[in-house]
Every structure is written in C-alpha cells, then in structure tokens.
Amino acid sequence: MGSDQKSRCPKAPTKEEMSLKMYTARRRLNCLRRAACHLFTSEAIVKAIQRLELEVEAKRLLVRKDRHLWKDIGERQKVLTWLLSYNPLWLRIGLETIFGELIPLESNSDAMGLAVFILNRLLWNPDIAAEFRHPKVPHLYRDGHEEALSRFTLKKLLLLVCFLDKAKESRIIEHDPCLFCMDAEFKTSKDLLLAFSRDFLSGEGILYRHLGHLGLRVSHGQTPLDEFNFAVKNLAADLKCGVRLVRVVELFTQDWSLSGRLRIPAISRLQKVHNVEVALEVLKAKGVDLKDEHGGAIDPRDIVDGHREKTLTLLWKIIFAFQVEVLLDEEQLEEEICFLRRTWRTRQKLNALRANQDVAEKPKEKRPSFKHSSTKITLLMDWVNAVSAFYNSKAENFTVSFSDGQILCYLIHHYHPCHLALEAVCQNTTQTVECGQRGLVGLNCSSSDSDSSFEMWPGLRTGVEASMYFKELLENEKSNFQLVNTAVSYLGGVPAMVNPADMSNTIPNEKVVTCYLSFLCARLLDLRNETRAARIIQGAWRKYRLKKELKHYKKQFRAQQVMKKQRCVHQKTLKSIQTLQAAVRGHIEYKKFQKLKRSATTIQDYYRAHVLGRNERERYLKMKRSAILIQAAFRGHQAREHAKKLQASLKIQAWFRGKMARQNFIAKKKAIATVHRCMQTRLYRNRFQKIRQSVCIIQRRWSETLDARKERHDFLKMRSSTITIQALWRGHRIRLTLQKEQKAACIIQSCYRGFVQRQAFLRQRKAVKVLQKHVRELQRGREERETFKTAAITLQAFCRGWLVRRQLKEEAQARRRNCFTAAVYYNLCAVKIQRALRAHWALESAKKQLYSVIYIQRWIRAKLQKKRYLEKKEKIIKVQRAVRGWLSRRNIAAIVLQHAVKKYLAKRREQRVQRGIIKAQALWRGHRSRKATDTAKVVAMRHRFRKVNRAVKEEDRLCNKTAVAIDYLLRYKHFSYILAALQHLETATRLSPECCEQLVRSGATLVIFTLIRSCNRSVPCMEVITFAIQVLLNLSKYRKTTEAVYAVENSMDTLLDLLQIYREKAGDKVADKGGSIFTKVCFLLAILLQDEQRALEMRNLPKATDRICSLYRLTVRKHKIDTERTVTRQKMNMSLNGSFFTPATPHKSKPRLRIAPDWVLRRDSMKEVVDPLRAIQMVADAFTIVP
C-alpha cells in the first residue's frame, strides 16, 4: 500500500517546467489548440463530418471483412507507421482536436506517446469493448464488435487525415512546419488515402474523390522546398543560394508567393543571382536603403560571392527595417511608458510624504533627449529611462550606457524580481566609479591603458592596487551580464546576443544593443499581461495610500507653519557658520584641483600616444586589405580559367553522349520496326492457322472422340510419369544453373577486384607519365631554344656576307671603270678568283640551308607523330573506358539477376508457406464449421452429394458438355441441335471461366453472330437469338473474352440491327420475347463500350449515334405513355375503391455500372436489366449522349 501511494503521488515540477519559457510554450500550444478547435467546429467541417458519418453508417464506406485493424499485428503496425509519418506536432494537434482531449506527452516530438494513444484510442475503443463484452468470458466479445470497431476507426482515421490537410492549408501554426516527416513513405494526403483504400476498404477506388463529394477535399502535397533546411550555420556560405534570404523576406512581408519565383536547386551562379535579386527587389519595394556604410550599392553578385561586410550590412538593414518594427508595438510601448511614469510619480509622492517633505514637484532639469529617425527606437529609449528612473539611473545612448549591464538587470528586476534579485546586482562598475570620481564616462580600449588610468585616483596608494581594483570592477560587470543571461534563459524568447567580452571595457555595438533590447522589451511586455492585474491593484492601493497621506499631511500643515518660523531663526545663525566652512573647504578643493590637473596632463600624454599607434595600425590594415584584394583577383582569374576548361570538356562529353544516344535510338527504331513486321506476320499466320485448325478439328472430331476415351487412362499414367521426370530434370537444371551463377559471381568479384587494382596502378602510372612529360618538354624547350639561336646566327652571317659581297661588287665595278684598259689581265684573274670564292660560299650557304630545312622537317614530323600518338592514345582510352563500362554494367546486371532470383525464390517459398497456412486454416475452419452446424439432415445431405458425385459420368462434366455443344454448333444445321447447344453453352459460360476461354478458342463467336444474322422474327428464331445473346453477355462479362466478342467482324452493326428490329411492342407473346432481346442487347452494348477506345470507335461508325438517339426517344415516349396509362388505371381503381391517396413515384437513383461474371459472388455486381428505358439509358450513357 505504501509503494502504491508513493507511485500515485504527482512528481514535483522541474525547474525547467516552472520557467517562463515553458509557460510561454504551453500558452502557445493552448492558442494552437483553440485555433484547431475553431477550424474543426466551422460550419463547412461540421457538415462534412455529418456526411462522412452517414456514408460510414450506410456502409458505402466499408472496411474489408478480411482486414482486422486491431487483431492483425501486421495491419496494426502498417496503420501506425502511416500515421507516424506525420510531423509529431501536427499529429498531436489533430488527435487532440478529433478526440477532444489532451494527450499527456513529454514533448511535441514524443512519438512513443503518440503511438500509445493511437493504439489505445484510435485502433481500439473501450466504450465499444464494454458494450460488446461477453458477460462471463473475459477478452471475448459478442458478434458485431469487429464491425463497430472498424466503423469507429474508419471515421476517426479519415477525419484525422482530412482535418490535418485542411489545417495545413489554413496555416494555423505560425512557423508552418512540414506536414510529413522527411523520411516518410508518403508526402501527400492523396497517396495516404489511396494506400489505405487499396489495402483496407471494400469496393472503393479513388477515395479522395469520394471524400471530395462529401466536402472533405484534400490537396496538400509536400514539395522539396518545404523540406529545405533553412537553418543558417555560416553567413558567408548559406546565404549564397538566395533561398534562405527569400524565406526571411517572406516571413517578414507575409507574401508567400515569392517561393514560386525561386530557381531550385540553385546550382549555377546565374540561378543564385536570380534568387538574391528576388529578395532585393522586395526589399527595395518596401523602402529599404540597399547601400553599405561607404555609400556603395549592395549588388546580388556581392551576396553570391560571399562578401562578408555587405552581407552583414544587408542583414542589419533587414533587422532594423522589419524585425525591430515587427517586435515593438508603438501603442503598447506608449501605454507602458505612461503607466511607468505615473507609477513613479505616485511612488515619489508617497516617499516624500513619508519623509515629511513638500509634496510640490520640483522643476526637472532639462536634459538633451535621445533622438532617432525611427519613432519606435525613440520610444524604446523612453521605456528604458522610465524603468531606470525607479533605480535612480538614466541611459543616454545605446552604447556606453549598457556596457556594465546594470540597466539590463534593472529592466528584468522591475518586471520579474523573483528571477533577478536587486541585491545580486553589482553596483560598483567602471561606469559608476569613473562617473562618481570625475563626473564623466571614460572607457579605454586596452586593459593596460585602463590599469594606468587608475594610478592617479585618490584613495589608491600604488599602481598595483589600482590594477587590482580595476579587475574587480570588470568582474562585477561580468557578473551582471551572467545574471542577465541566466534570467533571460528562464524567460525564453530572447536570443543570446550579449557576450560580456563584447560589452564590458569597450564601446558596445549600437545595433546589437538595440536589437537585444527590442527582443527583451517585446518579451517583457508579452509576459506583463499576466502580472498586469497585480500591478494595477498595486497602483490603486498606492493612490489610496497617497490620498490618505495627503489628508494626514493637511492636518499637520499648520503645525509645520509654526515650525517654519522657528527654522528661519535657526537658519540665520547657521549661515555664518556655513560661510566659515565654505572658505576652509574652498582652500581644500583648490589643492584637489591642482592634483586633478596633473593627472589630466598625464592622461592626455597617454591618449596622444594611443592615437599615434592607432593611425599606424590603420595604415598597416589598409596595406593588408590591398594585398588580400590582389590575391583574391588572381585566384578568381585562375578559377575562371579552370571553369572555361571544364565547360569545354563538358561540351565535348555532351556531344559524344548525344551521338551515342542518337545511334542507340536509330538502332532501337529499326528493331521496333522489325518486331512490328514480325508481329503482324505472326498475327496473320495465327489467324490462318486457327481457321485451318478449326476445319481439321471438325473433320477429325468424331473419329478422335472414340479413340480418346480408350487412350485417356494411358495418357494419365504417362502424364504423371512425365511430370515426375520433368520435375527431376528441372531440379537438376536449376542446381546446375545455381552452381554456374555462383561461379560467375566469383569470377565477377575477382574481375572487379583486379579492375580496382589496375585502376590504382594506372593512376600511379599516369602521374609518373605526367611528371616525365613535363621534364621532357622542359629539356626539349631548351634544345629548341639553342637550335633557334644557331639558325638566327647563320641567317645573320648569310645576310652580312651578301651585303659585303654587294659592296665589294660595287667597288670592283668602280675600279674596273677607272682602270679597265690597264688592268684587263688582273681583272680576268680577279674574276676567276671571285668565281671560285663565290662558288665556295654558295656551296657552304646551300649546305647550311639544307641542314636547317632538314632540321625543320624533322621537328614537324616529330610534331605530327606526337599528334598521331596522342590521338591513338585517346582512342585506346575511350575503348578501355567503354570496355570497363561494359564490364561494370555486366557486373551490375549479374548482381541484379542474382537479387531477382533470390527474391523470386524467397517469394515462391513464402507463397508456398502461405498456401499451406491458408489450406490448413480452411481445413480447420471447415472442420469447426461442420462440427458446429452438423445435424442429421445435413450429414445425410452430404452423403447424398458424395454418392451423386461418385455416380457422375465423364461425359456429364461441364468441360465435356461444352466441347459437345461447340461440336453441335459448328457441325449441325438442325434447329433443335443448335438450340440445345446454345442452352448448354449459356449454362457453361455462366458458371465457368475456362468454358468461356474454350468457346473463344474454338472460334464459335463468329458462328454465333452469323447465326443471329440468319434468324428472322419467328418464335423459334427469337429463342435462338435470346440464348445466343445471353452467351455473348456471359463472354463479355469475363475480362479475358470481352475483346473476342467485340473483335468479330460487323458485330456492332449486328447488335444495332437487333435493337432496331426488336423494339418493345407490348400486347402479345412475341412482343415480350422481343423486349427481352432488346434489353439484353442494350446491356451487351453497355458492357462492350465501357472501354474508352471501343466507345470512340463505336461513335465513329456512320449513323450509329443517330440510331441510338432515335431508339432512345422512341423508348422514352413509349415509357411516358405506359406511365400515364398506369396512373390513369390506378386513379380509376382508387375511385372505385373509395380511396383518393396517390402513391408517390419512387425515385430511382442512377446505377453505377459494376459488372462481374456470375461466378464472382459480389453483392454490388449489376444483375440483368429488365426495364427497356433503363437499358437504352445505359447505352446512351456509354455513347455520352445527353438526352
């Protein structure tokens, strides 16, 4: 008993559960529940729920009887898996709204708790179990329990799916999470409903269309954009694609059409630039100034390139343009400021009255007020000062005033003193000490300078003490910020943007402080609503106390006037004393001023040194930025060159793949043409063989019938032995095949491993070749440079020699002109010498030119040979790539074949086991049923059936009777034989699908249509037509033989002629038979024209539609005349009987054409049509004729 009491005691709430963060989460969850209930109780949903309940109760929506959603563990697990594919938060809201109760979960992602609730409340109902529970036997339920439970589960499940789809479309959750999980099997509500109707519902096709007629339409589909991870981890990389930026703009502007303009996935640079442009266009339209601090425009390419400064500038502009404006409510801020100032004035009056001071307010000193371009930022500063007034503090800006954390502590303590005690706030900080000592705020950028700034403070002996004191003040500021962060973590809803290292001993960033104060103000004012009542009561009580104190003060006012006179006399005596004290104190203050002057001089020296160092650092940073820009430009150039090469290779690959695809397409096209010709040839050959076979069968039938009876016994023995031999041989072949496949798999594995090793070796050899190539090219370049140098020298020498020879020639000519007569002999000698010398020089120059030509030819041939070598190498590489691709495809094909064979064998084993289980269950159920229902009469009937079955002859079997009837129909021409054969065929085709197929194979359908066309309107012929049409009806109801009835030549014309001939004429026996033929032919046409292709071909027949329209109009006119005649007859009978009550004409709903053969026992199968109007209406619907 003690342990039970301990277990029943509720657990104490944790610190996290008691925090305001959890309180806010519960409040938002309750708001979400109210929104869901409001949607669920809307007029449209309520009417749709009523229609759904009527459909389920009327069994138009019904769970299959062989599906047990609770008993069958597999089916229960399947439904549970489908439902858990929803987002846990959506699923929780849907279940709580549908069932009208709260689900105790540990968190919104508690899938285990949701699964338990689904199993205990959706798939099971304790109330239904209590209603159908057996009075004596536990866990046993009466008949009807399974049906009631399935109806309950069906209603709740369909309502849950439709409601979740409607709630998702209505966006009742503010952040609008995905409806389905990322790894869910289904991503649309329609797929889930189709799967459920396919596996569990009876006679239901497209379930969401049925629900749409009831008013429960589903349309949600989860797209890849919905599953996109919008979390930002790296500002430089995650914002490049532009998708997250557009999402931020959507959240702020509430314009959800921007996602449709995105290009997803954003792979190329142009796609990313387009996405960023979409966001920037909306920001420009909203009036956001897209310029950085230096006046430069923020371009989409800057964001795509990851420009950090411009990206941060853009984010800050978005925050100040939207986030701060969205968070702060101007009216709420003004109301809160007025309330705070009124409360402060009331408190001041009370304090003044308690201190016996004058109640009149002193004029306040006018201080320069804080001004900002945004009204809400100005109101935010007024709110901070209104709260700080309670603590004798004031904020002058959003930077230095918040560097010690005191004002943040005051803000939180004012609204929630339980989370941050005032005693824990450190009052001694660098701001308070410096303001108290010097009357100003002085912050230093480094700790060393800050330490030196304390060396000259009064009250400190040495610089070490000043440094220790300064560290203590910094620790106090750090403690204040830690208190703020701890309190904010309990409040929740405020991002952790304040870091003591970024705030203390420096000038805080104004943007960060403003944004943080906006979040804190919104959170505190949001939580203020719960404490507002207490604050109003406190204000009213203080006003009441103020009035009481004022009354008491008026009573004491007279006494105070008397005391004032005495005080004036006393003050005159004090003035003289104060004058003396002022002179002494002035002398002391003059000495202090001298000391302060010296300390100020020291501080100025340190400050000038600091300014000089800062200028030097700025110059260094400028040089560093320029170097970084040059490096970035060079790296960008290299990246663009690499991209160009990559694009060229991609174009070559695309061309080659396109060429291969075109070749494959041409080959496939030729193969398809060949297959088409072969199929046409085979069809004509099969048709000819069938005709020839039917002729041969008619000739051989009678002679083979006598021999078949004798040989059947021997055939059965031979068949059993053949089957045994075949089974042994197939088992032997399968074992051999498995061994071959195992060997092939081993060979494939060895080939693949060798391929991997060869690839590694080839990569290593390729790297070595690349190195060798570079070295050889370097050596060849050096040799070519030497060669070119020698060739240039040779050419220069040749040119210079030619110039010298020309000059010498001119000099010789001048000398000859001057001394021709005196130096003929010498001239001839000189000419000979010159000729010999010139010949020698020409020979030498020719040799040198020949050598240069040979060298150039050698170089060109080497170049060509190298080019041919590279082309051959590329071809070999392509061949190797193709061979390796073929080997990999062969490997993949072998793996796929192995997987398919294993899957087929496993499936066959599973089917064999399942058939055995089903057979055992059937035997056991039959035994139990016979044991429960057997009586003496039933046993005797069973014995009589067995006796009759044993006495049945072979020729009395249905297949043999069908064969004999087909033989009579094909061979005999006598009317009695044909009628008897048609009667047997009608019975056989109505009871057996095998008989239908046998009749089609024999080609008797053509004979039946020929027989119908040869009959006239006599009574025997009408009987033959009736049975023939009934046989065709049975064949058309069977899916495999419907096409055979339609494929007979002129079959549709024959049926239309029958409709025209046998129109209903009441009044005689012949007319009754004609009416039966008319309805049967209409039913046959309606079945054949269910296929859209056949209906289209039928509508294209000449005058077919006109004939049907005329028959329809004639039938309607006759039906109207018969109806009027019947009504007149009824009125006459009623007048004779003395009753004037007119019975209402029953309204017949339009039937759904659900046709199945008679051997398929379905309740919803359409039976024979008797009414002619209904029959012709079915044909008109098949022709899509609107009457």
Side-chain angles (χ1 to χ4, degrees), residues 903-928:
K903 186 176 180 181
Y904 169 73
L905 293 175
K907 185 176 180 181
R908 193 169 67 177
R909 286 195 297 270
E910 184 180 356
Q911 289 177 352
R912 192 183 298 116
V913 173
Q914 190 174 5
R915 285 197 297 270
I917 293 171
I918 292 171
K919 188 177 291 184
Q921 288 177 349
L923 291 173
W924 174 248
R925 288 169 184 165
H927 172 70
R928 290 289 301 274

Side-chain angles (χ1 to χ4, degrees), residues 1028-1067:
I1029 294 297
Q1030 190 62 43
V1031 171
L1032 295 176
L1033 262 176
N1034 295 336
L1035 292 176
S1036 62
K1037 288 181 181 179
Y1038 186 39
R1039 178 176 54 83
K1040 295 183 179 180
T1041 57
T1042 306
E1043 187 62 29
V1045 177
Y1046 179 80
V1048 177
E1049 187 176 2
N1050 297 328
S1051 58
M1052 295 295 103
D1053 294 333
T1054 304
L1055 295 179
L1056 291 175
D1057 293 336
L1058 285 177
L1059 287 178
Q1060 192 70 27
I1061 293 170
Y1062 294 101
R1063 291 171 292 184
E1064 182 182 7
K1065 294 181 180 179

